[in-house]
Amino acid sequence: MFTEDRPRSLMVRHPVLLSMAAGLVAGAVAAGSDKLLDRLVSAKQKRRDRRVREAPAHQMAGPYFASKVLGRRLDSAEKKRARAAFGVLYGVGWGVIHSRLTRTFPILTRWGGLPFAVPFFCACDGMIAPALGVSPGLRRIPWQPSAKELCNHIAWTAAAELVHRVAGDKR
């Protein structure tokens, strides 16, 4: 993408900034993916999902943690702000984690990042969210919402990979 006689971009010279930007862009892509794929989840599966959790972990985490920090229930405006704040923190944090792991293990960048996306989903939805009490384990969630979440993690990872590649990051 760039030659040695051309100056490297600010993002490539500062890989943490690139990682954070990739995570934020990926979060926006995953949000779009979530809306698109939600149409494919049947009404029956959505009803079954609502019996075991209020909403997917990524929607619940911000209000859940903000409520814990503040020590009270949040109103709807506060929940909305907490979701947005969590989305930014999630994007920045996982953007840095993704970048560090793919630098250490370049095979994770293959096939648009699929080798990263599947463990990423398993870690977030299968272990971290249940361990923190944000969502039940994957066995309790119907298969269609889980498949949608897996696809969202794939979209997130592919978008993060694309940002790194467009920026000329040679990992």
Side-chain angles (χ1 to χ4, degrees):
M1 296 283 260
F2 67 90
T3 60
E4 291 304 322
D5 55 330
R6 208 172 90 192
R8 292 174 17 152
S9 76
L10 174 67
M11 292 293 196
V12 175
R13 284 185 307 202
H14 300 286
V16 173
L17 291 178
L18 177 58
S19 302
M20 292 165 52
L24 292 172
V25 169
V29 169
S33 164
D34 188 62
K35 285 185 176 129
L36 179 69
L37 295 172
D38 191 57
R39 298 175 189 166
L40 302 176
V41 178
S42 71
K44 180 180 177 182
Q45 291 287 322
K46 287 178 184 176
R47 282 191 305 276
R48 287 186 62 218
D49 190 26
R50 293 297 176 255
R51 281 188 227 141
V52 297
R53 62 184 183 170
E54 186 179 328
H58 67 273
Q59 292 175 10
M60 292 301 305
Y64 176 82
F65 293 123
S67 176
K68 293 282 187 194
V69 167
L70 296 173
R72 62 179 173 79
R73 296 183 63 121
L74 305 179
D75 64 32
S76 60
E78 291 171 323
K79 285 182 180 181
K80 188 175 181 178
R81 285 193 301 274
R83 273 191 213 72
F86 179 80
V88 169
L89 292 173
Y90 182 92
V92 166
W94 277 104
V96 170
I97 292 168
H98 167 263
S99 181
R100 293 287 184 207
L101 285 173
T102 55
R103 282 184 194 286
T104 304
F105 306 102
I107 195 163
L108 295 175
T109 66
R110 301 274 170 107
W111 309 297
L114 192 61
F116 178 87
V118 174
F120 177 34
F121 164 75
C122 293
C124 289
D125 290 50
M127 293 186 301
I128 297 170
L132 295 174
V134 175
S135 183
L138 289 175
R139 290 185 177 163
R140 294 194 51 217
I141 299 169
W143 75 269
Q144 287 180 346
S146 289
K148 177 186 81 150
E149 292 302 321
L150 173 60
C151 290
N152 289 338
H153 282 79
I154 292 169
W156 188 100
T157 304
E161 281 299 315
L162 185 59
V163 170
H164 281 278
R165 292 175 188 183
V166 166
D169 186 17
K170 294 186 179 189
R171 294 181 283 166

